[in-house]
Amino acid sequence: MADYEDNKQKNSFTLFNNETGKSYDLPVIKGTDGPDVLDIRKLYQETGMFTYDPGFTSTASCDSSITYIDGNEGILRHRGYDIHELASKSEFLEVCYLLLHGDLPSPEDKQKFKDVITNHTMIHEQLVHLYRGFRRDAHPMAIMVGVVGALSAFYHDSTDFSDVNQRMIACHRLIAKMPTIGAMAYKYSIGQPFVYPKNDLSYAENFLYMTFSVPTAEFKISPKIVKAMDRFFILHADHEQNASTSTVRLAGSSGANPFACIASGIASLWGPAHGGANEAVIKMLEEIGDVKNIPEYIKKAKNKNDPFRLMGFGHRVYKNYDPRATVMKESAHEVLEELNKHDDPLLKVALELERIALEDEYFIQKKLFPNVDFYSGFILKALGFPTSMFTVLFAIGRTVGWISQWKEMIEDPINKIGRPRQLYLGKTAREYQQESTREKKSIFNWLWK
Ligand code: ACO
């Protein structure tokens, strides 16, 4: 819970208006780690001015105790624990518990949590008909947005955000059902029967089972592959106030139900500048095709007039190697080794592309390093997922982060509806124009052809 009075600093920040000669003191609030913030909540009331920060590059949209990132040092911590340690020592469900409840679970709590989650892995049978309404070639992310949003039409006993029990049930349902929903989206696209969850399997193994098993054969998978899948989910579990998480918070701030909020997060994640980048990386590497073509693509990435960007490179917050990317790179090598796919020609292109980019002045100067998406696609491709499923896997891992952030926001006593303002640059008041006097707009020329 935010207690600003305790965190308010003795120093403040003074704004001086040259025109009026007036000055305003802005309180400074100190966090437990990371930059302090200027408290501008009374700014408009006192100065009549808004702040302007498109893309929120200097704006803390909320306070949170879940995830901490130091982008310059390449640090990512969940509830104080370093991501490397969580990825190597914990299971995904432990990380889910940690994000939701603040601490790692005791053995008893861990077992209880597992039981609760596995109790919710099935989805309402009627939802099968919803899948059948989609074209077989629908993008699985389109199906995810639709089906997750539709959960609110099926689970009426967990849509009331103001009820603490309903909130918790919604969190459990979402964490539990996302792998089932994702696996069904895949099965539907390839015309295979849906596979029901099996509750004696771990979270990651169950997902792989629902995705890749068929009723006609026994399902076998190596523990190393299950571990890699689990680690993939851990590495995507939460990432502070990114675009999709902020979308979830904004949707939730109006009191929208949790299933609708998570559906909005999935929609936001889909974009290639965010979660869609893992799909875009593989497409880019396929397009590059061969190590000899890399210089041409590096040149394109540096050309201001060319929209091409090196996918899987750069990050709004990390101005250093993304700590998740280091683990993902190791994991990719392990998976390719295990599956005897280490001679994947795309991996050769990726390694060389990374090497060249990291030595290139443009990338050095702009602090563009590989992000989590650069190597994750290799793991997923080697496991047999089509590229269109990559962002779905990201969404499954991120659901716990979204729902933990949503819960934190709802439980914050100062929770207010998110309502940004704007710098208006449009027309000032003008007289209404009669239809006969309006000019034809050239923008619609294509309509007249
Ligand atoms: N390739 C080439 N140039 C780049 C790249 C890139 N991948 N990323 C940034 N730049 C350049 C920009 O052109 C810009 O140059 P300028 O200062 O000369 O105008 C400068 O670096 C800063 O880039 P911005 O776009 O202003 O940075 P921003 O923080 O807004 O964007 C983003 C971050 C969207 C991730 C960007 O780096 C990008 O598009 N990367 C590729 C897509 C990607 O990998 N996304 C996944 C992000 S991680 C995640 O969501 C899980």
Side-chain angles (χ1 to χ4, degrees), residues 57 236 239 242 269 271-278 281 300-302 304 308-317 319 322 324 362-363 366 368 371-374 394 398:
T57 51
H236 288 85
H239 212 228
N242 54 82
L269 184 74
H274 192 9
N278 53 15
V281 169
K300 271 163 77 66
K302 296 191 309 193
K304 273 243 156 288
F308 175 78
R309 281 189 167 195
L310 222 52
M311 299 316 286
F313 259 78
H315 196 275
R316 168 61 61 79
V317 182
K319 302 303 165 197
D322 179 339
R324 300 166 300 173
Y362 173 93
F363 291 88
K366 294 189 189 298
L368 300 170
N371 59 49
V372 67
D373 290 320
F374 194 68
F394 190 152
R398 183 54 58 86

mmCIF file of all heavy atoms in Angstrom, residues 57 236 239 242 269 271-278 281 300-302 304 308-317 319 322 324 362-363 366 368 371-374 394 398, ligand 1:
data_model
loop_
_atom_site.group_PDB
_atom_site.id
_atom_site.type_symbol
_atom_site.label_atom_id
_atom_site.label_comp_id
_atom_site.label_asym_id
_atom_site.label_seq_id
_atom_site.Cartn_x
_atom_site.Cartn_y
_atom_site.Cartn_z
ATOM 1 N N THR A 57 7.952 8.358 -21.313
ATOM 2 C CA THR A 57 9.380 8.101 -21.114
ATOM 3 C C THR A 57 9.885 8.602 -19.754
ATOM 4 O O THR A 57 10.914 8.154 -19.274
ATOM 5 C CB THR A 57 10.210 8.743 -22.240
ATOM 6 O OG1 THR A 57 9.812 10.097 -22.343
ATOM 7 C CG2 THR A 57 10.002 8.043 -23.571
ATOM 8 N N HIS A 236 9.108 -14.597 -18.729
ATOM 9 C CA HIS A 236 8.094 -13.676 -19.241
ATOM 10 C C HIS A 236 7.062 -13.273 -18.185
ATOM 11 O O HIS A 236 6.115 -12.557 -18.497
ATOM 12 C CB HIS A 236 7.372 -14.305 -20.440
ATOM 13 C CG HIS A 236 8.227 -14.376 -21.662
ATOM 14 N ND1 HIS A 236 9.098 -15.406 -21.904
ATOM 15 C CD2 HIS A 236 8.382 -13.516 -22.697
ATOM 16 C CE1 HIS A 236 9.725 -15.189 -23.035
ATOM 17 N NE2 HIS A 236 9.321 -14.043 -23.541
ATOM 18 N N HIS A 239 7.015 -7.709 -16.082
ATOM 19 C CA HIS A 239 8.054 -6.767 -16.481
ATOM 20 C C HIS A 239 7.619 -5.339 -16.217
ATOM 21 O O HIS A 239 7.664 -4.489 -17.114
ATOM 22 C CB HIS A 239 8.429 -6.972 -17.962
ATOM 23 C CG HIS A 239 9.852 -6.661 -18.234
ATOM 24 N ND1 HIS A 239 10.269 -5.877 -19.281
ATOM 25 C CD2 HIS A 239 10.974 -7.007 -17.567
ATOM 26 C CE1 HIS A 239 11.580 -5.769 -19.240
ATOM 27 N NE2 HIS A 239 12.035 -6.452 -18.222
ATOM 28 N N ASN A 242 5.098 -2.160 -18.516
ATOM 29 C CA ASN A 242 5.226 -2.184 -19.984
ATOM 30 C C ASN A 242 3.866 -1.893 -20.645
ATOM 31 O O ASN A 242 2.854 -1.752 -19.947
ATOM 32 C CB ASN A 242 5.751 -3.556 -20.412
ATOM 33 C CG ASN A 242 4.870 -4.645 -19.852
ATOM 34 O OD1 ASN A 242 3.833 -4.960 -20.411
ATOM 35 N ND2 ASN A 242 5.239 -5.193 -18.699
ATOM 36 N N LEU A 269 -0.201 -6.768 -26.242
ATOM 37 C CA LEU A 269 1.025 -7.564 -26.368
ATOM 38 C C LEU A 269 1.291 -7.986 -27.808
ATOM 39 O O LEU A 269 2.432 -8.189 -28.216
ATOM 40 C CB LEU A 269 0.903 -8.824 -25.493
ATOM 41 C CG LEU A 269 2.139 -9.725 -25.432
ATOM 42 C CD1 LEU A 269 3.213 -9.074 -24.563
ATOM 43 C CD2 LEU A 269 1.811 -11.109 -24.896
ATOM 44 N N GLY A 271 1.325 -6.556 -30.621
ATOM 45 C CA GLY A 271 2.072 -5.674 -31.537
ATOM 46 C C GLY A 271 3.546 -6.046 -31.668
ATOM 47 O O GLY A 271 4.163 -6.482 -30.703
ATOM 48 N N PRO A 272 4.127 -5.859 -32.881
ATOM 49 C CA PRO A 272 5.526 -6.242 -33.093
ATOM 50 C C PRO A 272 6.538 -5.438 -32.283
ATOM 51 O O PRO A 272 7.668 -5.878 -32.096
ATOM 52 C CB PRO A 272 5.738 -6.022 -34.600
ATOM 53 C CG PRO A 272 4.652 -5.102 -35.020
ATOM 54 C CD PRO A 272 3.499 -5.333 -34.104
ATOM 55 N N ALA A 273 6.143 -4.264 -31.779
ATOM 56 C CA ALA A 273 7.084 -3.514 -30.939
ATOM 57 C C ALA A 273 7.102 -4.078 -29.525
ATOM 58 O O ALA A 273 7.930 -3.702 -28.704
ATOM 59 C CB ALA A 273 6.692 -2.039 -30.908
ATOM 60 N N HIS A 274 6.187 -4.981 -29.225
ATOM 61 C CA HIS A 274 6.095 -5.546 -27.859
ATOM 62 C C HIS A 274 6.242 -7.059 -27.982
ATOM 63 O O HIS A 274 7.260 -7.556 -28.459
ATOM 64 C CB HIS A 274 4.754 -5.096 -27.263
ATOM 65 C CG HIS A 274 4.580 -5.322 -25.795
ATOM 66 N ND1 HIS A 274 5.593 -5.725 -24.969
ATOM 67 C CD2 HIS A 274 3.473 -5.209 -24.989
ATOM 68 C CE1 HIS A 274 5.129 -5.845 -23.727
ATOM 69 N NE2 HIS A 274 3.834 -5.539 -23.718
ATOM 70 N N GLY A 275 5.228 -7.823 -27.592
ATOM 71 C CA GLY A 275 5.362 -9.289 -27.565
ATOM 72 C C GLY A 275 5.452 -9.929 -28.933
ATOM 73 O O GLY A 275 5.974 -11.036 -29.080
ATOM 74 N N GLY A 276 4.930 -9.231 -29.941
ATOM 75 C CA GLY A 276 4.968 -9.781 -31.296
ATOM 76 C C GLY A 276 6.370 -9.829 -31.869
ATOM 77 O O GLY A 276 6.597 -10.379 -32.954
ATOM 78 N N ALA A 277 7.356 -9.282 -31.124
ATOM 79 C CA ALA A 277 8.722 -9.228 -31.649
ATOM 80 C C ALA A 277 9.345 -10.622 -31.779
ATOM 81 O O ALA A 277 10.155 -10.856 -32.671
ATOM 82 C CB ALA A 277 9.591 -8.334 -30.766
ATOM 83 N N ASN A 278 8.958 -11.574 -30.910
ATOM 84 C CA ASN A 278 9.582 -12.905 -31.014
ATOM 85 C C ASN A 278 9.238 -13.574 -32.345
ATOM 86 O O ASN A 278 10.065 -14.259 -32.947
ATOM 87 C CB ASN A 278 9.250 -13.796 -29.803
ATOM 88 C CG ASN A 278 7.774 -13.921 -29.513
ATOM 89 O OD1 ASN A 278 6.939 -13.593 -30.342
ATOM 90 N ND2 ASN A 278 7.441 -14.400 -28.322
ATOM 91 N N VAL A 281 11.267 -11.720 -35.051
ATOM 92 C CA VAL A 281 12.703 -12.044 -35.099
ATOM 93 C C VAL A 281 12.939 -13.208 -36.059
ATOM 94 O O VAL A 281 13.807 -13.150 -36.933
ATOM 95 C CB VAL A 281 13.239 -12.412 -33.687
ATOM 96 C CG1 VAL A 281 14.640 -13.008 -33.764
ATOM 97 C CG2 VAL A 281 13.252 -11.194 -32.783
ATOM 98 N N LYS A 300 20.327 -1.366 -43.489
ATOM 99 C CA LYS A 300 18.911 -0.990 -43.531
ATOM 100 C C LYS A 300 18.437 -0.518 -42.141
ATOM 101 O O LYS A 300 17.719 0.469 -42.023
ATOM 102 C CB LYS A 300 18.058 -2.211 -43.932
ATOM 103 C CG LYS A 300 17.859 -2.382 -45.435
ATOM 104 C CD LYS A 300 17.377 -3.791 -45.762
ATOM 105 C CE LYS A 300 15.907 -4.026 -45.458
ATOM 106 N NZ LYS A 300 14.974 -3.254 -46.272
ATOM 107 N N ALA A 301 18.870 -1.244 -41.104
ATOM 108 C CA ALA A 301 18.431 -0.904 -39.736
ATOM 109 C C ALA A 301 18.926 0.482 -39.334
ATOM 110 O O ALA A 301 18.278 1.187 -38.550
ATOM 111 C CB ALA A 301 18.933 -1.953 -38.754
ATOM 112 N N LYS A 302 20.065 0.881 -39.895
ATOM 113 C CA LYS A 302 20.649 2.182 -39.508
ATOM 114 C C LYS A 302 20.121 3.341 -40.347
ATOM 115 O O LYS A 302 20.343 4.496 -40.024
ATOM 116 C CB LYS A 302 22.181 2.107 -39.639
ATOM 117 C CG LYS A 302 22.775 1.099 -38.663
ATOM 118 C CD LYS A 302 24.264 1.128 -38.523
ATOM 119 C CE LYS A 302 25.116 1.086 -39.706
ATOM 120 N NZ LYS A 302 26.534 0.830 -39.425
ATOM 121 N N LYS A 304 17.683 5.916 -41.530
ATOM 122 C CA LYS A 304 16.518 6.623 -40.981
ATOM 123 C C LYS A 304 15.309 6.543 -41.910
ATOM 124 O O LYS A 304 14.164 6.593 -41.462
ATOM 125 C CB LYS A 304 16.868 8.101 -40.769
ATOM 126 C CG LYS A 304 17.490 8.370 -39.438
ATOM 127 C CD LYS A 304 16.589 9.302 -38.611
ATOM 128 C CE LYS A 304 16.770 9.203 -37.141
ATOM 129 N NZ LYS A 304 16.270 8.018 -36.503
ATOM 130 N N PHE A 308 12.774 -0.510 -41.611
ATOM 131 C CA PHE A 308 13.289 -1.767 -41.052
ATOM 132 C C PHE A 308 14.041 -1.526 -39.745
ATOM 133 O O PHE A 308 14.846 -0.613 -39.632
ATOM 134 C CB PHE A 308 14.220 -2.446 -42.066
ATOM 135 C CG PHE A 308 14.877 -3.687 -41.525
ATOM 136 C CD1 PHE A 308 14.178 -4.887 -41.450
ATOM 137 C CD2 PHE A 308 16.192 -3.657 -41.064
ATOM 138 C CE1 PHE A 308 14.771 -6.028 -40.941
ATOM 139 C CE2 PHE A 308 16.797 -4.795 -40.554
ATOM 140 C CZ PHE A 308 16.080 -5.986 -40.489
ATOM 141 N N ARG A 309 13.771 -2.350 -38.759
ATOM 142 C CA ARG A 309 14.499 -2.320 -37.492
ATOM 143 C C ARG A 309 14.995 -3.720 -37.203
ATOM 144 O O ARG A 309 14.344 -4.693 -37.614
ATOM 145 C CB ARG A 309 13.592 -1.901 -36.342
ATOM 146 C CG ARG A 309 13.389 -0.428 -36.302
ATOM 147 C CD ARG A 309 12.675 -0.014 -35.044
ATOM 148 N NE ARG A 309 12.769 1.439 -34.908
ATOM 149 C CZ ARG A 309 12.499 2.087 -33.806
ATOM 150 N NH1 ARG A 309 12.120 1.453 -32.732
ATOM 151 N NH2 ARG A 309 12.611 3.400 -33.756
ATOM 152 N N LEU A 310 16.074 -3.810 -36.494
ATOM 153 C CA LEU A 310 16.574 -5.118 -36.095
ATOM 154 C C LEU A 310 15.659 -5.651 -35.004
ATOM 155 O O LEU A 310 15.688 -5.172 -33.873
ATOM 156 C CB LEU A 310 17.995 -4.941 -35.566
ATOM 157 C CG LEU A 310 19.016 -5.981 -35.982
ATOM 158 C CD1 LEU A 310 19.045 -6.169 -37.475
ATOM 159 C CD2 LEU A 310 20.379 -5.579 -35.472
ATOM 160 N N MET A 311 14.810 -6.610 -35.351
ATOM 161 C CA MET A 311 13.850 -7.114 -34.367
ATOM 162 C C MET A 311 14.600 -7.889 -33.282
ATOM 163 O O MET A 311 15.591 -8.575 -33.565
ATOM 164 C CB MET A 311 12.794 -7.999 -35.046
ATOM 165 C CG MET A 311 11.970 -7.267 -36.085
ATOM 166 S SD MET A 311 11.405 -5.625 -35.579
ATOM 167 C CE MET A 311 10.121 -6.012 -34.425
ATOM 168 N N GLY A 312 14.111 -7.768 -32.041
ATOM 169 C CA GLY A 312 14.789 -8.429 -30.927
ATOM 170 C C GLY A 312 15.957 -7.610 -30.397
ATOM 171 O O GLY A 312 16.706 -8.063 -29.542
ATOM 172 N N PHE A 313 16.097 -6.396 -30.911
ATOM 173 C CA PHE A 313 17.144 -5.482 -30.430
ATOM 174 C C PHE A 313 16.510 -4.208 -29.898
ATOM 175 O O PHE A 313 15.559 -3.697 -30.478
ATOM 176 C CB PHE A 313 18.096 -5.111 -31.581
ATOM 177 C CG PHE A 313 19.374 -5.885 -31.534
ATOM 178 C CD1 PHE A 313 19.414 -7.194 -31.967
ATOM 179 C CD2 PHE A 313 20.540 -5.312 -31.035
ATOM 180 C CE1 PHE A 313 20.581 -7.927 -31.915
ATOM 181 C CE2 PHE A 313 21.715 -6.032 -30.979
ATOM 182 C CZ PHE A 313 21.743 -7.346 -31.419
ATOM 183 N N GLY A 314 17.074 -3.694 -28.823
ATOM 184 C CA GLY A 314 16.604 -2.420 -28.277
ATOM 185 C C GLY A 314 15.501 -2.640 -27.261
ATOM 186 O O GLY A 314 14.783 -3.654 -27.283
ATOM 187 N N HIS A 315 15.402 -1.727 -26.346
ATOM 188 C CA HIS A 315 14.369 -1.804 -25.315
ATOM 189 C C HIS A 315 14.191 -0.419 -24.720
ATOM 190 O O HIS A 315 15.159 0.318 -24.573
ATOM 191 C CB HIS A 315 14.797 -2.796 -24.219
ATOM 192 C CG HIS A 315 13.656 -3.219 -23.357
ATOM 193 N ND1 HIS A 315 13.240 -2.489 -22.277
ATOM 194 C CD2 HIS A 315 12.833 -4.292 -23.436
ATOM 195 C CE1 HIS A 315 12.213 -3.098 -21.718
ATOM 196 N NE2 HIS A 315 11.942 -4.184 -22.399
ATOM 197 N N ARG A 316 12.948 -0.087 -24.392
ATOM 198 C CA ARG A 316 12.696 1.221 -23.801
ATOM 199 C C ARG A 316 13.453 1.386 -22.479
ATOM 200 O O ARG A 316 13.993 2.464 -22.178
ATOM 201 C CB ARG A 316 11.184 1.388 -23.570
ATOM 202 C CG ARG A 316 10.784 2.576 -22.707
ATOM 203 C CD ARG A 316 11.187 3.925 -23.286
ATOM 204 N NE ARG A 316 10.596 4.193 -24.566
ATOM 205 C CZ ARG A 316 9.341 4.607 -24.747
ATOM 206 N NH1 ARG A 316 8.548 4.800 -23.718
ATOM 207 N NH2 ARG A 316 8.885 4.839 -25.949
ATOM 208 N N VAL A 317 13.551 0.358 -21.689
ATOM 209 C CA VAL A 317 14.158 0.490 -20.366
ATOM 210 C C VAL A 317 15.608 -0.003 -20.329
ATOM 211 O O VAL A 317 16.472 0.655 -19.744
ATOM 212 C CB VAL A 317 13.305 -0.265 -19.309
ATOM 213 C CG1 VAL A 317 13.908 -0.097 -17.925
ATOM 214 C CG2 VAL A 317 11.862 0.240 -19.313
ATOM 215 N N LYS A 319 19.200 -0.346 -21.252
ATOM 216 C CA LYS A 319 20.257 0.253 -22.069
ATOM 217 C C LYS A 319 21.509 -0.585 -21.831
ATOM 218 O O LYS A 319 22.631 -0.097 -21.707
ATOM 219 C CB LYS A 319 20.462 1.730 -21.695
ATOM 220 C CG LYS A 319 19.192 2.562 -21.859
ATOM 221 C CD LYS A 319 18.612 2.506 -23.277
ATOM 222 C CE LYS A 319 17.173 3.018 -23.346
ATOM 223 N NZ LYS A 319 16.459 2.629 -24.571
ATOM 224 N N ASP A 322 19.622 -7.201 -21.956
ATOM 225 C CA ASP A 322 18.414 -7.596 -21.227
ATOM 226 C C ASP A 322 18.753 -8.860 -20.415
ATOM 227 O O ASP A 322 19.170 -9.866 -20.987
ATOM 228 C CB ASP A 322 17.327 -7.872 -22.287
ATOM 229 C CG ASP A 322 15.984 -8.315 -21.716
ATOM 230 O OD1 ASP A 322 15.955 -8.790 -20.575
ATOM 231 O OD2 ASP A 322 14.980 -8.197 -22.447
ATOM 232 N N ARG A 324 17.071 -11.089 -19.179
ATOM 233 C CA ARG A 324 16.309 -12.268 -19.597
ATOM 234 C C ARG A 324 16.923 -12.882 -20.848
ATOM 235 O O ARG A 324 16.850 -14.084 -21.076
ATOM 236 C CB ARG A 324 14.850 -11.874 -19.879
ATOM 237 C CG ARG A 324 14.140 -11.287 -18.693
ATOM 238 C CD ARG A 324 12.846 -10.617 -19.097
ATOM 239 N NE ARG A 324 13.060 -9.527 -20.051
ATOM 240 C CZ ARG A 324 12.098 -8.867 -20.665
ATOM 241 N NH1 ARG A 324 10.846 -9.184 -20.442
ATOM 242 N NH2 ARG A 324 12.370 -7.890 -21.518
ATOM 243 N N TYR A 362 26.657 2.398 -34.361
ATOM 244 C CA TYR A 362 25.255 2.830 -34.263
ATOM 245 C C TYR A 362 24.568 2.174 -33.054
ATOM 246 O O TYR A 362 23.929 2.831 -32.243
ATOM 247 C CB TYR A 362 24.528 2.447 -35.557
ATOM 248 C CG TYR A 362 23.025 2.664 -35.553
ATOM 249 C CD1 TYR A 362 22.468 3.853 -36.038
ATOM 250 C CD2 TYR A 362 22.150 1.678 -35.101
ATOM 251 C CE1 TYR A 362 21.086 4.043 -36.059
ATOM 252 C CE2 TYR A 362 20.775 1.858 -35.116
ATOM 253 C CZ TYR A 362 20.254 3.039 -35.594
ATOM 254 O OH TYR A 362 18.885 3.220 -35.604
ATOM 255 N N PHE A 363 24.741 0.855 -32.939
ATOM 256 C CA PHE A 363 24.079 0.113 -31.867
ATOM 257 C C PHE A 363 24.731 0.400 -30.511
ATOM 258 O O PHE A 363 24.044 0.484 -29.491
ATOM 259 C CB PHE A 363 24.077 -1.397 -32.172
ATOM 260 C CG PHE A 363 23.180 -1.729 -33.339
ATOM 261 C CD1 PHE A 363 23.673 -1.696 -34.642
ATOM 262 C CD2 PHE A 363 21.847 -2.019 -33.146
ATOM 263 C CE1 PHE A 363 22.837 -1.963 -35.720
ATOM 264 C CE2 PHE A 363 21.010 -2.280 -34.222
ATOM 265 C CZ PHE A 363 21.507 -2.252 -35.508
ATOM 266 N N LYS A 366 23.593 3.978 -29.429
ATOM 267 C CA LYS A 366 22.179 4.045 -29.027
ATOM 268 C C LYS A 366 21.837 3.026 -27.938
ATOM 269 O O LYS A 366 20.671 2.892 -27.548
ATOM 270 C CB LYS A 366 21.277 3.824 -30.245
ATOM 271 C CG LYS A 366 21.376 4.938 -31.275
ATOM 272 C CD LYS A 366 20.318 4.793 -32.341
ATOM 273 C CE LYS A 366 20.529 5.750 -33.504
ATOM 274 N NZ LYS A 366 20.464 7.149 -33.154
ATOM 275 N N LEU A 368 21.721 -0.261 -27.975
ATOM 276 C CA LEU A 368 20.762 -1.261 -28.437
ATOM 277 C C LEU A 368 21.368 -2.655 -28.268
ATOM 278 O O LEU A 368 22.351 -2.993 -28.923
ATOM 279 C CB LEU A 368 20.403 -1.006 -29.910
ATOM 280 C CG LEU A 368 19.771 0.349 -30.216
ATOM 281 C CD1 LEU A 368 19.697 0.590 -31.720
ATOM 282 C CD2 LEU A 368 18.383 0.438 -29.610
ATOM 283 N N ASN A 371 17.179 -8.145 -26.796
ATOM 284 C CA ASN A 371 16.187 -8.243 -25.725
ATOM 285 C C ASN A 371 15.686 -9.689 -25.623
ATOM 286 O O ASN A 371 16.127 -10.558 -26.382
ATOM 287 C CB ASN A 371 15.041 -7.231 -25.949
ATOM 288 C CG ASN A 371 14.334 -7.444 -27.280
ATOM 289 O OD1 ASN A 371 13.960 -8.560 -27.609
ATOM 290 N ND2 ASN A 371 14.166 -6.368 -28.048
ATOM 291 N N VAL A 372 14.746 -9.922 -24.734
ATOM 292 C CA VAL A 372 14.296 -11.290 -24.431
ATOM 293 C C VAL A 372 13.812 -12.031 -25.683
ATOM 294 O O VAL A 372 13.901 -13.260 -25.767
ATOM 295 C CB VAL A 372 13.177 -11.261 -23.342
ATOM 296 C CG1 VAL A 372 11.912 -10.614 -23.857
ATOM 297 C CG2 VAL A 372 12.894 -12.623 -22.782
ATOM 298 N N ASP A 373 13.326 -11.273 -26.663
ATOM 299 C CA ASP A 373 12.739 -11.910 -27.842
ATOM 300 C C ASP A 373 13.769 -12.407 -28.847
ATOM 301 O O ASP A 373 13.418 -13.153 -29.751
ATOM 302 C CB ASP A 373 11.802 -10.918 -28.556
ATOM 303 C CG ASP A 373 10.567 -10.658 -27.734
ATOM 304 O OD1 ASP A 373 10.054 -11.621 -27.149
ATOM 305 O OD2 ASP A 373 10.128 -9.504 -27.670
ATOM 306 N N PHE A 374 15.013 -11.970 -28.704
ATOM 307 C CA PHE A 374 15.982 -12.310 -29.747
ATOM 308 C C PHE A 374 16.232 -13.819 -29.823
ATOM 309 O O PHE A 374 16.313 -14.393 -30.897
ATOM 310 C CB PHE A 374 17.297 -11.539 -29.541
ATOM 311 C CG PHE A 374 18.180 -11.604 -30.751
ATOM 312 C CD1 PHE A 374 17.820 -10.973 -31.938
ATOM 313 C CD2 PHE A 374 19.376 -12.305 -30.732
ATOM 314 C CE1 PHE A 374 18.614 -11.043 -33.064
ATOM 315 C CE2 PHE A 374 20.182 -12.382 -31.861
ATOM 316 C CZ PHE A 374 19.800 -11.749 -33.026
ATOM 317 N N PHE A 394 4.146 -16.150 -24.905
ATOM 318 C CA PHE A 394 4.493 -14.970 -24.107
ATOM 319 C C PHE A 394 3.287 -14.604 -23.229
ATOM 320 O O PHE A 394 3.416 -14.364 -22.018
ATOM 321 C CB PHE A 394 4.855 -13.838 -25.077
ATOM 322 C CG PHE A 394 5.469 -12.607 -24.480
ATOM 323 C CD1 PHE A 394 6.337 -11.821 -25.237
ATOM 324 C CD2 PHE A 394 5.206 -12.198 -23.181
ATOM 325 C CE1 PHE A 394 6.920 -10.673 -24.716
ATOM 326 C CE2 PHE A 394 5.777 -11.045 -22.652
ATOM 327 C CZ PHE A 394 6.624 -10.281 -23.428
ATOM 328 N N ARG A 398 2.991 -14.236 -19.209
ATOM 329 C CA ARG A 398 2.775 -12.886 -18.680
ATOM 330 C C ARG A 398 1.471 -12.737 -17.905
ATOM 331 O O ARG A 398 1.304 -11.771 -17.147
ATOM 332 C CB ARG A 398 2.848 -11.877 -19.847
ATOM 333 C CG ARG A 398 2.707 -10.412 -19.497
ATOM 334 C CD ARG A 398 3.678 -9.917 -18.435
ATOM 335 N NE ARG A 398 5.073 -10.107 -18.773
ATOM 336 C CZ ARG A 398 5.818 -9.280 -19.481
ATOM 337 N NH1 ARG A 398 5.289 -8.170 -19.944
ATOM 338 N NH2 ARG A 398 7.108 -9.541 -19.722
HETATM 339 N N1 ACO B 1 16.937 -1.358 -34.851
HETATM 340 C C1 ACO B 1 17.446 -0.185 -35.329
HETATM 341 N N2 ACO B 1 17.354 0.996 -34.677
HETATM 342 C C2 ACO B 1 16.703 1.012 -33.516
HETATM 343 C C3 ACO B 1 16.140 -0.159 -32.954
HETATM 344 C C4 ACO B 1 16.273 -1.369 -33.660
HETATM 345 N N3 ACO B 1 15.765 -2.500 -33.191
HETATM 346 N N4 ACO B 1 15.552 0.139 -31.785
HETATM 347 C C5 ACO B 1 15.724 1.455 -31.599
HETATM 348 N N5 ACO B 1 16.420 1.980 -32.640
HETATM 349 C C6 ACO B 1 16.856 3.389 -32.778
HETATM 350 C C7 ACO B 1 15.686 4.269 -33.161
HETATM 351 O O1 ACO B 1 15.579 4.415 -34.563
HETATM 352 C C8 ACO B 1 16.035 5.562 -32.463
HETATM 353 O O2 ACO B 1 16.980 6.232 -33.256
HETATM 354 P P1 ACO B 1 17.038 7.871 -33.231
HETATM 355 O O3 ACO B 1 17.386 8.245 -31.824
HETATM 356 O O4 ACO B 1 18.118 8.185 -34.224
HETATM 357 O O5 ACO B 1 15.680 8.338 -33.637
HETATM 358 C C9 ACO B 1 16.737 5.124 -31.195
HETATM 359 O O6 ACO B 1 17.277 3.817 -31.485
HETATM 360 C C10 ACO B 1 15.822 5.027 -29.990
HETATM 361 O O7 ACO B 1 14.725 4.219 -30.353
HETATM 362 P P2 ACO B 1 13.228 4.507 -29.929
HETATM 363 O O8 ACO B 1 12.300 3.870 -30.917
HETATM 364 O O9 ACO B 1 13.044 5.950 -29.646
HETATM 365 O O10 ACO B 1 13.178 3.702 -28.568
HETATM 366 P P3 ACO B 1 11.904 3.214 -27.836
HETATM 367 O O11 ACO B 1 12.285 3.077 -26.417
HETATM 368 O O12 ACO B 1 10.729 4.073 -28.146
HETATM 369 O O13 ACO B 1 11.615 1.777 -28.486
HETATM 370 C C11 ACO B 1 11.608 -0.533 -28.910
HETATM 371 C C12 ACO B 1 11.967 0.578 -27.915
HETATM 372 C C13 ACO B 1 10.145 -0.372 -29.398
HETATM 373 C C14 ACO B 1 11.710 -1.877 -28.216
HETATM 374 C C15 ACO B 1 12.585 -0.452 -30.115
HETATM 375 O O14 ACO B 1 13.904 -0.635 -29.673
HETATM 376 C C16 ACO B 1 12.236 -1.477 -31.207
HETATM 377 O O15 ACO B 1 11.373 -1.209 -32.063
HETATM 378 N N6 ACO B 1 12.901 -2.676 -31.190
HETATM 379 C C17 ACO B 1 12.582 -3.731 -32.120
HETATM 380 C C18 ACO B 1 11.318 -4.458 -31.693
HETATM 381 C C19 ACO B 1 11.540 -5.332 -30.476
HETATM 382 O O16 ACO B 1 12.501 -6.105 -30.408
HETATM 383 N N7 ACO B 1 10.598 -5.257 -29.528
HETATM 384 C C20 ACO B 1 10.626 -6.095 -28.322
HETATM 385 C C21 ACO B 1 10.832 -5.250 -27.116
HETATM 386 S S1 ACO B 1 11.000 -6.269 -25.711
HETATM 387 C C22 ACO B 1 9.459 -6.740 -25.300
HETATM 388 O O17 ACO B 1 8.473 -6.125 -25.561
HETATM 389 C C23 ACO B 1 9.354 -8.021 -24.630
#
